[in-house]
Amino acid sequence: MKNYNIEKILNNFLSDIQNTKNLSEVNEIKIKYLGRKGLINEECKNIIKIPEEYRKEYGIKINEIKNRIILDILEKEKKSHEFKKNEKIDITLPGINKTYASQHIISKTLEEIEYFFLASGFEVLKSKEIENEYYNFDALNINKEHPSRSKNETFYLTDKLLLRTHTSNMQIHTLKKKKPPISAISYGKVFRRDSDASHTPMFHQLEGFIVDKNISIAHLKFTISKFLTFFFNRNIKINMRSSYFPFTEPSMEVDIQCIACLGKKCNLCKQTGWIEVLGCGMIHPKVLKNCSINNNIYTGLAFGLGIERLSMIKYKINDIRLLFENNIAFLNQF
Amino acid sequence: MKIHAEFIKKWFKNEINIEILIKKLTDIGFESFLDQGIVNISIPTNRHDCKNLYGIINELSKFYDLKNNKNENIYKTFKNEVKIYIKEKTFCPFYSIVHIKNINNQIEIPNEIKNHLNLNNIKSSNFIIDILNYSTLITGQPLHAYDKDKIGQKIIINKTNKNISIKSINENNILIKKNSFIINDDKNNIISIPGVIGSAYAKIDKNTKNIIIESAYFKDNLIKQAEKKLKITTLASDFFKNTINEKNIIDSLNYAVNLIKFFQSCEISEIIKKKYIKYLPKKRHITVKKNYLSKFTKLDANNINLESIFKNSNINFKENKYSWKFEIPQNRKDLTIKENIISEIIKFYGYNKIIEIPTRNYNTLISKTYYKTKSNENKIINYLTSNGFYEIITYSFVEKNVEKLIAPENNLIDLINPISENNNVLRNNLLQGLIKTFKLNSNKYNEEIKLFEIGNIYNKYKKKIITEKHIALILAEPDDIHENLNNSTFYILKNIIENIYKKLYNIPYLTFNNTNSQYLDKNISAEISIKKKKIGEIGLLDKKLIDIFSLKQYMYFATLKLNLKNSRNIYSKELSKYPKIKRDISIITDKNIKFFNIKEYIKTLNIKNLKDITFINTYDIDKRKSISIRLTYQSKIKTLTDKTINSKTFFIIDSIKNQFNADFKI
């Protein structure tokens, strides 16, 4: 049979496939020749135009060429997947620069501390920044003459409303609503009218407390010690010493052995070998009573820590104001 | 309180290492440090009894042996003729005086005394006053002196029966109201407001030769009331209102007199006193059961040696098999409950000797709301930081003059006592902190700056203060403000917002509508809502803010409420195994037709198997615009044919043409 169109198709195919440079082009060729509307299918439809005696032979020819095209395409696809031999690259060049910014170090520290207490069975309470005098002072056994209540030390919004000076207000909110046993933490922003290299008018605190039967100073010591070991990621020596807070009795301050000099005295620990990290104590019986909790049956432990302070010690930040200046060069370090 | 290190050492028998002494003071609750030879001691607010050297020395006597500094009464060179009359015994149950003649009040006060006064912010006055002030700082018992030549032979503790005006020793006019306590002489001249301040009438001056020194007990709460009425606080009233120890009254008088005698020769009378025991504070007792102490501290009460803890102390106790009973000194107002006593015991025993005992497992379940809120917040932080946004934390109070440009002034909450004019109102929006931080960094940092903050904002609404947690983002146009604005930054920010809500809250469709925001450009901004409820805003900062902050770049800002209640639960959907087919169409329409309008309209056509309608691009053509849209079709039961898809697409096209008077190109 003269002038097999199919042979022309094959020749065109061979030329096309040879010139393909990549898999995408191979795919285009595949669709062109083997697709539903491809040249092979179209040619099959044209068999009707051929005289009947030649149709069988033509049909066989089309199939042969179709199979050939399929095989050639497969071959080409296979080759396109092989790695080409390229020039050697400089593997020491840095990765392409897409900035991975930072979570604020305070936010990171809070997350870390929260994780510890959650895992230790503490509930996390909501936080309330705007408070009244009762929850911020009175219920916490802070008498009317206490200097912290003055307008020199506390921010007031009205005569009665103020910005809370500590997270201990949440202790009162919780103890008034829930019955013991209670094991909880609360954290967030607190506000004091103070501003210098080691104090800012706003900072972050975390408060934790347990109220139950037979809670003792020994339990408090355990909780604090385990937390500090976790946070500083080493066995930490602690020193517990007497202090005074109106809402705890006894009250204690906790120092850790200086992590820079290990107690040998340096500038970080102001030549003492110890760094103060948090305050704690047994919840004052009056505070329990104010929350209608029978202090003859229940006792409680409480502790409060400054997030900025802990971050500054752990990460060797020497000025608290850096934490609120938000200089990217500073933030980027963490 | 400040004391010279060398001075404090003199009170102890043996050689003292001052650094160890400071550590011991700190450990028992008096945080101290040494600064250029001066020991600075922080006295807790509940320990007024220690605002004097005797109090501190007493605390340290548990660790160090004291020198015998007994103050002996060695005088009585003449008889004291002055008579004491106490008409107000409840107010003054104990009053004592000594008379000193031929004193020279012009001699120079010794440096040691002057230094100690200076250290504790007391101005030097004259010999007598300085000695008495010094004595007060040492013993904790306030003393007062009168010029004997100016007063009569009687000292009467009394109450006024009318309002009286006097001049005080510092020459101020004071109105003493009726029924207030006074001390007057037999000529009815008021010589002092007892426990508070002396009057000018009997004032000591450089020429004074004869003095009466008074040492007394005045009822603490009545002194407090007097302070409040008169609006005066003095060194003396501060001690009296916090209760002095009645046992110290004579001893401190002896101390002062011995000191005067040491520095000059003069004649000293015997001490005369009037004491009404009935009116003195009753002895207080606190009982501590041993098993309570053991339970509280997990220490064996029988192993605690209270004798050594309370040696040299004013606190006496009696012990039996089960408990201790403590007698509390009058001036120990900090000891009222058994826990105070336990605190006193443990601080000397040593907290470090207490063992650690694990708490039990409280098995607290994490609240679902908390978990969802917290985990979403963490995901937002991770998502934004990986997209180059730095998290910042700024103060909750901001500058009112700027905040007024961002929010209606009525909604702002003033601070009554701000720390500065830059921080005088609670923030109504996170914007101000972000702009200021951006500005600080753009001066130092040349790279692209993208910032976000998660924090509370505060709004006044119908006299209530509403606190809401928001997230806000800010990023700048890469080019200088004088270059043409490239709106693509708006859409970059928009995409970030949409991703946050789609992935975290499973809310795929936020609505963006025109906004009346005071601080965003009217043409390049939007209010963001979910089901018609506003959750935030996004847009280009208004020019007035750019001017106020002298910004060099256009800034885009978005703010959103967190803690949404209407986030949806995620469920798996059955996936189709049949291919997706896409058709791109370009619509040429009026400029006021938005993509959202077209998309929502297509949805109303309810085309079966139309899975998605997505935006490709847009550009202006003369006075109209072209919007290119991709229609994605997919069936769950079969591969859709070209014929089917084309038919649907043409239907969509025809519908849009009619609806929006649009032209097309495929």
Side-chain angles (χ1 to χ4, degrees):
Chain A
M1 193 185 150
K2 287 185 194 175
N3 294 332
Y4 277 156
N5 201 31
I6 193 67
E7 299 222 349
K8 205 173 159 185
I9 291 171
L10 176 63
N11 289 335
N12 287 343
F13 167 75
L14 290 172
S15 166
D16 284 346
I17 199 73
Q18 198 181 11
N19 293 331
T20 54
K21 294 187 192 67
N22 55 48
L23 204 56
S24 176
E25 287 178 7
V26 170
N27 218 30
E28 279 176 23
I29 303 294
K30 188 175 177 180
I31 293 170
K32 182 179 174 183
Y33 288 91
L34 297 176
R36 243 179 338 104
K37 291 181 187 173
L39 293 171
I40 296 292
N41 273 347
E42 290 301 312
E43 195 57 22
C44 284
K45 287 175 191 168
N46 289 338
I47 280 183
I48 278 172
K49 295 176 187 168
I50 294 169
E52 203 179 323
E53 59 272 30
Y54 295 115
R55 281 182 200 168
K56 190 180 174 186
E57 188 193 330
Y58 197 57
I60 293 168
K61 192 79 184 173
I62 288 175
N63 270 337
E64 274 175 14
I65 287 170
K66 183 179 176 182
N67 287 337
R68 166 86 193 265
I69 289 174
I70 289 172
L71 282 172
D72 279 5
I73 285 175
L74 274 173
E75 185 76 32
K76 198 72 180 182
E77 279 175 345
K78 199 172 155 194
K79 274 193 179 154
S80 297
H81 284 129
E82 284 172 2
F83 286 116
K84 291 179 195 162
K85 279 215 166 143
N86 290 312
E87 283 181 26
K88 206 167 170 74
I89 59 167
D90 180 357
I91 56 171
T92 65
L93 289 175
I96 296 217
N97 190 21
K98 189 186 174 190
T99 310
Y100 199 125
S102 305
Q103 182 179 9
H104 197 286
I105 189 62
I106 294 297
S107 175
K108 222 182 236 185
T109 305
L110 271 168
E111 223 175 87
E112 197 183 328
I113 296 175
E114 188 185 32
Y115 168 77
F116 171 84
F117 286 108
L118 265 175
S120 304
F122 283 74
E123 181 188 348
V124 180
L125 305 168
K126 273 188 193 174
S127 206
K128 198 168 183 277
E129 291 174 2
I130 296 176
E131 199 48 274
N132 62 36
E133 284 189 312
Y134 176 77
Y135 284 94
N136 197 72
F137 295 123
D138 300 331
L140 288 163
N141 197 35
I142 299 173
N143 65 45
K144 299 259 184 251
E145 284 82 31
H146 198 278
S148 64
R149 294 177 88 132
S150 81
K151 289 201 164 94
N152 285 334
E153 302 220 4
T154 296
F155 289 108
Y156 282 86
L157 305 176
T158 66
D159 283 340
K160 300 284 174 218
L161 281 182
L162 47 88
L163 295 178
R164 67 172 177 185
T165 56
H166 40 219
T167 41
S168 304
N169 64 323
M170 295 316 299
Q171 208 183 105
I172 304 299
H173 282 288
T174 308
L175 295 180
K176 277 186 171 285
K177 282 187 198 145
K178 294 187 176 201
K179 299 267 170 275
I182 303 165
S183 165
I185 60 165
S186 179
Y187 60 82
K189 292 181 172 136
V190 299
F191 307 86
R192 293 183 196 174
R193 233 177 149 272
D194 205 353
S195 185
D196 57 40
S198 47
H199 300 94
T200 47
M202 181 195 87
F203 58 102
H204 296 76
Q205 251 193 10
L206 182 141
E207 165 93 5
F209 57 95
I210 301 176
V211 176
D212 199 358
K213 293 179 187 173
N214 301 319
I215 290 293
S216 71
I217 299 175
H219 296 112
L220 174 61
K221 222 179 160 186
F222 171 83
T223 307
I224 300 294
S225 173
K226 288 295 159 275
F227 162 68
L228 290 171
T229 300
F230 165 82
F231 184 75
F232 289 104
N233 201 23
R234 59 177 91 179
N235 276 329
I236 282 272
K237 250 191 186 168
I238 67 168
N239 176 43
M240 222 176 205
R241 53 184 166 87
S242 183
S243 186
Y244 171 68
F245 307 111
F247 32 83
T248 48
E249 185 67 10
S251 306
M252 298 130 230
E253 295 278 7
V254 176
D255 307 318
I256 55 166
Q257 192 180 56
C258 181
I259 53 175
C261 65
L262 298 178
K264 293 190 178 106
K265 299 179 189 181
C266 65
N267 285 338
L268 179 66
C269 58
K270 293 177 190 166
Q271 307 297 335
T272 61
W274 296 91
I275 303 175
E276 183 184 308
V277 288
L278 58 88
C280 60
M282 299 301 288
I283 297 178
H284 200 290
K286 270 192 196 159
V287 172
L288 292 175
K289 208 171 163 192
N290 288 339
C291 298
S292 306
I293 292 176
N294 189 337
N295 56 289
N296 293 319
I297 301 173
Y298 296 103
T299 47
L301 61 87
F303 52 88
L305 40 103
I307 307 299
E308 280 77 4
R309 183 158 180 79
L310 285 182
S311 305
M312 287 170 73
I313 295 168
K314 184 169 176 174
Y315 299 105
K316 297 186 181 160
I317 301 166
N318 58 10
D319 190 331
I320 193 173
R321 291 170 293 197
L322 289 171
L323 294 165
F324 298 105
E325 194 187 57
N326 296 301
N327 184 331
I328 287 178
F330 170 79
L331 297 176
N332 215 11
Q333 296 176 98
F334 306 107
Chain B
M1 186 190 332
K2 294 181 184 184
I3 313 173
H4 280 284
E6 293 310 309
F7 180 60
I8 203 173
K9 284 183 189 179
K10 287 181 185 174
W11 293 80
F12 301 101
K13 248 186 198 166
N14 304 315
E15 186 63 35
I16 300 288
N17 179 316
I18 205 73
E19 283 184 11
I20 295 175
L21 181 141
I22 284 169
K23 172 119 191 358
K24 286 197 191 301
L25 270 176
T26 304
D27 281 347
I28 59 170
F30 299 89
E31 281 190 40
S32 308
F33 63 92
L34 187 66
D35 180 26
Q36 293 175 353
I38 295 166
V39 179
N40 290 262
I41 305 174
S42 177
I43 312 288
T45 51
N46 65 332
R47 292 302 304 271
H48 286 275
D49 62 295
C50 284
K51 277 186 170 178
N52 58 86
L53 188 60
Y54 271 13
I56 295 293
I57 299 297
N58 190 42
E59 293 288 311
L60 288 169
S61 66
K62 323 289 188 253
F63 309 111
Y64 305 106
D65 290 327
L66 297 175
K67 268 186 192 164
N68 185 5
N69 288 316
K70 205 171 159 70
N71 300 303
E72 287 174 11
N73 187 345
I74 54 165
Y75 9 96
K76 200 179 170 180
T77 55
F78 68 94
K79 192 172 183 324
N80 191 344
E81 299 283 343
V82 179
K83 299 273 182 269
I84 301 168
Y85 293 91
I86 303 178
K87 289 190 175 176
E88 297 295 330
K89 296 176 183 62
T90 318
F91 170 67
C92 176
F94 191 163
Y95 191 87
S96 63
I97 54 170
V98 70
H99 183 175
I100 303 180
K101 282 184 186 175
N102 299 324
I103 198 161
N104 179 0
N105 202 21
Q106 295 191 37
I107 70 165
E108 193 67 27
I109 197 81
N111 277 337
E112 193 175 80
I113 291 177
K114 209 181 247 178
N115 290 341
H116 193 68
L117 291 174
N118 279 341
L119 268 184
N120 291 282
N121 299 320
I122 296 174
K123 213 171 119 181
S124 176
S125 190
N126 54 58
F127 176 81
I128 296 163
I129 302 297
D130 287 352
I131 290 282
L132 297 190
N133 281 336
Y134 175 78
S135 173
T136 304
L137 291 178
I138 299 297
T139 67
Q141 172 63 31
L143 302 173
H144 186 70
Y146 306 101
D147 188 330
K148 179 63 184 74
D149 295 332
K150 292 176 184 172
I151 65 173
Q153 284 296 103
K154 288 180 186 170
I155 288 178
I156 306 160
I157 293 96
N158 214 341
K159 249 188 189 178
T160 58
N161 53 12
K162 57 181 178 178
N163 292 350
I164 305 174
S165 246
I166 65 160
K167 215 172 216 171
S168 69
I169 49 170
N170 39 19
E171 303 297 320
N172 291 327
N173 288 322
I174 298 177
L175 173 67
I176 306 173
K177 291 201 173 150
K178 184 179 165 180
N179 282 328
S180 298
F181 296 107
I182 52 162
I183 297 181
N184 56 284
D185 63 2
D186 42 349
K187 295 171 199 165
N188 254 342
N189 296 308
I190 294 175
I191 63 174
S192 74
I193 301 171
V196 183
I197 198 164
S199 91
Y201 179 78
K203 185 178 167 180
I204 306 276
D205 57 41
K206 283 210 180 299
N207 300 316
T208 298
K209 293 275 175 231
N210 298 307
I211 59 173
I212 299 283
I213 302 178
E214 147 201 298
S215 180
Y217 183 101
F218 299 116
K219 193 86 173 67
D220 52 1
N221 60 321
L222 296 173
I223 295 292
K224 211 190 228 180
Q225 276 175 25
E227 263 192 347
K228 246 186 181 166
K229 255 195 217 172
L230 298 164
K231 294 187 181 129
I232 300 172
T233 301
T234 60
L235 178 68
S237 66
D238 193 47
F239 275 99
F240 281 122
K241 76 184 176 195
N242 287 297
T243 317
I244 49 113
N245 191 349
E246 159 253 315
K247 290 185 178 167
N248 213 13
I249 288 172
I250 302 298
D251 196 45
S252 54
L253 197 50
N254 281 326
Y255 177 82
V257 171
N258 275 313
L259 210 49
I260 291 171
K261 191 89 175 111
F262 183 83
F263 292 112
Q264 57 175 288
S265 61
C266 47
E267 292 171 63
I268 303 170
S269 77
E270 83 277 32
I271 292 173
I272 60 165
K273 62 188 181 199
K274 273 264 163 79
K275 187 174 180 178
Y276 298 94
I277 292 173
K278 188 175 143 184
Y279 295 98
L280 281 167
K282 301 281 176 279
K283 285 182 186 170
R284 287 189 298 124
H285 294 93
I286 298 175
T287 300
V288 179
K289 288 186 183 162
K290 290 184 182 180
N291 65 1
Y292 183 76
L293 181 137
S294 294
K295 211 165 102 165
F296 203 70
T297 63
K298 300 299 182 208
L299 293 171
D300 185 347
N302 293 317
N303 288 346
I304 299 175
N305 183 354
L306 285 196
E307 299 284 350
S308 64
I309 287 172
F310 289 105
K311 77 169 185 182
N312 298 329
S313 153
N314 296 333
I315 303 171
N316 299 319
F317 67 94
K318 284 185 181 145
E319 182 176 357
N320 66 37
K321 193 178 175 188
Y322 302 105
S323 64
W324 301 286
K325 190 174 178 182
F326 295 87
E327 187 183 297
I328 310 299
Q330 290 154 358
N331 63 341
R332 290 298 303 267
K333 282 170 101 173
D334 60 303
L335 302 176
T336 55
I337 55 176
K338 54 188 185 294
E339 286 78 5
N340 296 141
I341 301 292
I342 293 175
S343 177
E344 200 66 11
I345 293 170
I346 302 301
K347 85 179 187 197
F348 289 110
Y349 180 79
Y351 282 100
N352 293 329
K353 289 184 189 162
I354 297 179
I355 55 166
E356 294 175 13
I357 294 180
T359 51
R360 69 175 174 93
N361 189 347
Y362 284 92
N363 287 322
T364 310
L365 292 174
I366 298 176
S367 108
K368 190 180 147 192
T369 319
Y370 162 77
Y371 172 73
K372 217 171 180 177
T373 311
K374 198 64 200 163
S375 71
N376 282 345
E377 250 179 62
N378 288 344
K379 284 176 195 166
I380 292 174
I381 293 173
N382 286 337
Y383 173 67
L384 290 175
T385 51
S386 66
N387 275 281
F389 284 81
Y390 286 91
E391 185 187 12
I392 67 167
I393 296 178
T394 60
Y395 290 147
S396 300
F397 18 69
V398 292
E399 197 179 331
K400 188 172 184 176
N401 285 339
V402 175
E403 202 68 1
K404 273 189 314 191
L405 302 172
I406 298 168
E409 198 172 341
N410 288 347
N411 293 0
L412 299 181
I413 300 146
D414 293 299
L415 266 68
I416 289 178
N417 55 336
I419 203 160
S420 75
E421 288 307 305
N422 289 340
N423 292 302
N424 55 357
V425 87
L426 287 181
R427 64 188 180 190
N428 189 273
N429 194 308
L430 294 169
L431 176 59
Q432 204 180 140
L434 281 162
I435 292 187
K436 287 181 176 173
T437 305
F438 179 89
K439 204 149 181 242
L440 171 105
N441 283 291
S442 64
N443 292 338
K444 300 181 190 210
Y445 196 70
N446 292 325
E447 306 290 327
E448 191 189 12
I449 300 168
K450 298 194 276 195
L451 307 170
F452 76 96
E453 182 169 6
I454 296 176
N456 283 340
I457 60 160
Y458 313 87
N459 206 359
K460 207 195 287 179
Y461 180 70
K462 289 182 183 174
K463 294 188 180 179
K464 280 190 178 168
I465 297 178
I466 315 284
T467 305
E468 275 181 352
K469 201 166 207 182
H470 274 229
I471 177 171
L473 301 87
I474 198 165
L475 69 159
E477 274 275 330
D479 298 321
D480 186 80
I481 200 165
H482 299 107
E483 301 287 334
N484 286 335
L485 181 62
N486 176 359
N487 290 331
S488 63
T489 313
F490 175 88
Y491 297 103
I492 291 171
L493 191 54
K494 190 178 179 218
N495 174 253
I496 288 172
I497 306 294
E498 286 169 331
N499 280 344
I500 288 173
Y501 276 81
K502 208 189 283 186
K503 270 295 180 187
L504 298 181
Y505 297 103
N506 195 27
I507 294 169
Y509 303 114
L510 299 175
T511 312
F512 292 79
N513 291 316
N514 291 330
T515 178
N516 288 326
S517 169
Q518 335 180 172
Y519 61 91
L520 296 174
D521 185 301
K522 301 235 176 308
N523 292 327
I524 307 174
S525 61
E527 181 181 285
I528 309 169
S529 23
I530 297 171
K531 290 183 184 174
K532 296 185 183 175
K533 212 172 175 192
K534 181 180 173 181
I535 58 153
E537 288 176 320
I538 180 175
L540 176 72
L541 283 189
D542 190 81
K543 199 169 180 310
K544 64 174 178 282
L545 283 173
I546 291 177
D547 288 341
I548 283 170
F549 286 98
S550 309
L551 297 172
K552 296 192 181 98
Q553 293 152 280
Y554 286 110
M555 309 278 307
Y556 289 87
F557 174 77
T559 180
L560 292 143
K561 227 191 265 192
L562 281 178
N563 302 336
L564 293 182
K565 287 179 187 164
N566 49 355
S567 68
R568 304 202 291 209
N569 291 324
I570 304 171
Y571 299 106
S572 173
K573 288 178 196 157
E574 196 187 324
L575 300 173
S576 169
K577 49 188 180 187
Y578 299 97
K580 284 184 185 173
I581 297 136
K582 298 167 194 173
R583 290 286 184 270
D584 294 348
I585 56 174
S586 286
I587 304 156
I588 298 166
T589 181
D590 293 335
K591 281 191 178 178
N592 64 337
I593 305 294
K594 299 187 174 47
F595 166 70
F596 179 74
N597 302 133
I598 299 173
K599 181 175 178 176
E600 290 302 298
Y601 175 70
I602 295 173
K603 281 185 191 173
T604 63
L605 300 175
N606 287 319
I607 306 290
K608 198 178 170 191
N609 297 320
L610 178 62
K611 283 285 160 244
D612 209 359
I613 307 159
T614 47
F615 170 81
I616 300 175
N617 65 22
T618 184
Y619 56 89
D620 290 343
I621 298 177
D622 297 328
K623 290 180 184 169
R624 302 185 94 195
K625 71 177 179 190
S626 164
I627 303 178
S628 297
I629 295 173
R630 174 161 292 167
L631 305 168
T632 306
Y633 300 90
Q634 190 184 38
S635 166
K636 281 186 182 162
I637 55 173
K638 58 181 178 178
T639 303
L640 295 169
T641 62
D642 278 346
K643 190 178 172 187
T644 311
I645 287 168
N646 288 343
S647 142
K648 291 176 194 285
T649 305
F650 284 128
F651 175 74
I652 291 171
I653 289 171
D654 283 338
S655 305
I656 291 175
K657 258 185 186 168
N658 293 331
Q659 178 70 14
F660 296 102
N661 191 28
D663 298 316
F664 269 87
K665 49 182 185 174
I666 297 179

